[in-house]
Amino acid sequence: MVYSETKLEPPTRLRVFIVRHGETRENVERIIQGQLDTDLNERGRTQADTTGRFLATTRIDRIIASPLKRAADTARAILKHQSSGSLQLEFDDRLKERAFGVLEGKVYNGGAKKPEDTEGIERMEPFSERLASFWNDLVTRAAVPDSETAERTETVVLVSHGAAISALMNQVLTPGRYCLVPPSVVPSRFWNCSITELAVPVIRTSPASIASTSAGSASRRADWSIRPIHLGVQGAQFILDHEVQKKLLGTMRERALQDRAAQDTLRELEAHVAKTAAEFERDPQGKLQLAADVIRAPDGTAVQADIGHGPAIGTVVQWSNIDHLKHLDEPAANAEKTSKPNNINVDELVK
């Protein structure tokens, strides 16, 4: 599915709500689901309906879901509470959960074998690439070059799975500094029916550049605007990462004074920042070249879209928020304090 815009007036920014599917029996019993097509349990259906009611006052322009039943049914519960009769549910295979091979359908008991060596597992690099492929299609819109576009926000709901959302956030968007995480937002596990909200700028490109091949096509991965970390981020993003790490040093130094466990992390971060700073000092021309290596749209032009954080850079508004489920989850939260197995999210743990 290609997510390019055919109108001359594409949105200028996206408000994206990423929702993990509701609870399943397998979640409760610590069974790895992967791409098994499992159903929501009763509590999961209640979570999905509650999430739909919570989002009912938000005008949603698109709902895109993994076709696996637990995600599709969560998306249907959200759609049910929308007042717009024209809103249609969309499905995309790229939002499916990671395939866990021979582990699927089995209770997770840990183990020393590296997950990447597990028979039939979807390796992390192609897994993160399919999430990046989806994201490039989502944020890239066709527009007449140099045309003026009125400010407009499109609201999109994505319904996916724990490991898939984790890969999108932790292997694509945040390590490459395509989405900044402000100090007030604390990353955490992706709970069932949690809402992660992002504000991201739309990447405008010429219609001809995505007429035959979508922005997220695997054939274009070397030139993706948004790249998973293993494909290498743009030079300007590398510099931004260095600046963010320098700011983090101050926070880490304060923490290390009270927490011995943080001291090793502090030393590693100090060494990394010092090494990068030394490289920049030895090669100032190289730093200038990195700064000029900006994010580019599929038509090759430098991205200018900026919602206040820099060209093509978004922000994380909330990470795995479950406040709307608080009245449902208080008993479960109390149970987790006394039941260690329930505190393990196997779909995210096996990475």
Side-chain angles (χ1 to χ4, degrees):
M1 184 178 293
V2 179
Y3 294 111
S4 60
E5 188 85 8
T6 57
K7 303 175 183 177
L8 296 180
E9 293 276 341
T12 53
R13 62 188 290 169
L14 301 181
R15 185 186 187 192
V16 183
F17 293 104
I18 306 176
V19 180
R20 187 188 173 195
H21 64 78
E23 186 182 89
T24 65
R25 173 184 64 84
E26 288 76 10
N27 287 148
V28 176
E29 297 180 6
R30 303 176 61 244
I31 295 172
I32 295 176
Q33 296 169 96
Q35 295 189 359
L36 294 178
D37 206 6
T38 57
D39 288 303
L40 299 175
N41 61 16
E42 183 178 354
R43 184 161 176 261
R45 288 190 290 272
T46 301
Q47 290 173 328
D49 187 70
T50 301
T51 303
R53 291 179 185 277
F54 175 74
L55 292 173
T57 57
T58 300
R59 184 188 180 282
I60 296 172
D61 297 293
R62 299 177 69 187
I63 303 178
I64 312 169
S66 156
L68 295 176
K69 286 189 291 186
R70 58 192 185 272
D73 287 346
T74 300
R76 290 188 182 99
I78 295 172
L79 176 62
K80 180 181 69 175
H81 292 285
Q82 285 293 303
S83 58
S84 173
S86 61
L87 183 60
Q88 298 292 315
L89 182 57
E90 305 171 45
F91 296 105
D92 196 302
D93 284 344
R94 292 173 293 183
L95 290 177
K96 280 184 176 180
E97 181 58 293
R98 183 184 187 184
F100 285 113
V102 296
L103 297 176
E104 292 185 354
K106 297 179 181 178
V107 174
Y108 180 76
N109 291 311
K113 191 172 183 178
K114 293 181 179 180
E116 291 285 284
D117 297 331
T118 301
E119 182 182 346
I121 200 167
E122 186 175 11
R123 297 179 69 85
M124 181 54 70
E125 290 188 358
F127 178 43
S128 60
E129 284 180 16
R130 72 168 160 93
L131 273 304
S133 169
F134 171 85
W135 193 261
N136 276 278
D137 277 345
L138 180 70
V139 302
T140 305
R141 305 300 172 94
V144 175
D146 302 320
S147 64
E148 291 293 327
T149 302
E151 292 289 327
R152 181 169 71 86
T153 298
E154 181 179 276
T155 301
V156 182
V157 172
L158 309 178
V159 185
S160 189
H161 308 262
I165 298 171
S166 181
L168 176 63
M169 296 296 294
N170 297 313
Q171 298 293 324
V172 181
L173 297 182
T174 59
R177 303 299 175 191
Y178 300 110
C179 269
L180 300 181
V181 183
S184 58
V185 174
V186 180
S188 66
R189 149 186 174 174
F190 293 100
W191 305 87
N192 290 115
C193 273
S194 62
I195 297 175
T196 298
E197 182 182 350
L198 311 178
V200 297
V202 166
I203 296 174
R204 293 158 58 89
T205 193
S206 64
S209 69
I210 53 176
S212 58
T213 307
S214 74
S217 171
S219 65
R220 308 178 72 148
R221 64 166 60 90
D223 299 313
W224 278 343
S225 302
I226 309 297
R227 306 173 190 168
I229 193 68
H230 70 273
L231 291 183
V233 299
Q234 283 81 350
Q237 302 295 94
F238 181 81
I239 294 175
L240 175 62
D241 185 57
H242 177 60
E243 295 303 316
V244 170
Q245 289 177 336
K246 286 198 297 184
K247 293 178 181 178
L248 181 60
L249 267 180
T251 303
M252 288 299 300
R253 288 189 177 111
E254 293 178 7
R255 186 183 305 172
L257 293 175
Q258 303 174 345
D259 183 1
R260 291 197 172 195
Q263 293 178 5
D264 289 340
T265 304
L266 174 63
R267 283 191 287 271
E268 292 176 4
L269 184 59
E270 285 178 330
H272 182 75
V273 170
K275 179 182 177 182
T276 303
E279 290 173 352
F280 286 159
E281 188 174 339
R282 284 196 303 270
D283 186 12
Q285 186 60 39
K287 184 179 181 181
L288 291 175
Q289 291 175 350
L290 284 176
D293 180 19
V294 298
I295 298 174
R296 296 190 178 278
D299 62 8
T301 60
V303 174
Q304 300 298 323
D306 185 351
I307 60 172
H309 312 286
I313 300 174
T315 187
V316 180
V317 179
Q318 55 180 335
W319 188 300
S320 192
N321 191 302
I322 53 171
D323 286 350
H324 62 293
L325 303 174
K326 193 169 294 183
H327 64 289
L328 301 177
D329 287 348
E330 282 177 354
N334 292 332
E336 285 185 352
K337 294 178 182 178
T338 58
S339 178
K340 186 177 180 180
N342 282 344
N343 201 31
I344 296 175
N345 186 342
V346 295
D347 289 330
E348 291 182 58
L349 187 59
V350 183
K351 296 181 180 178

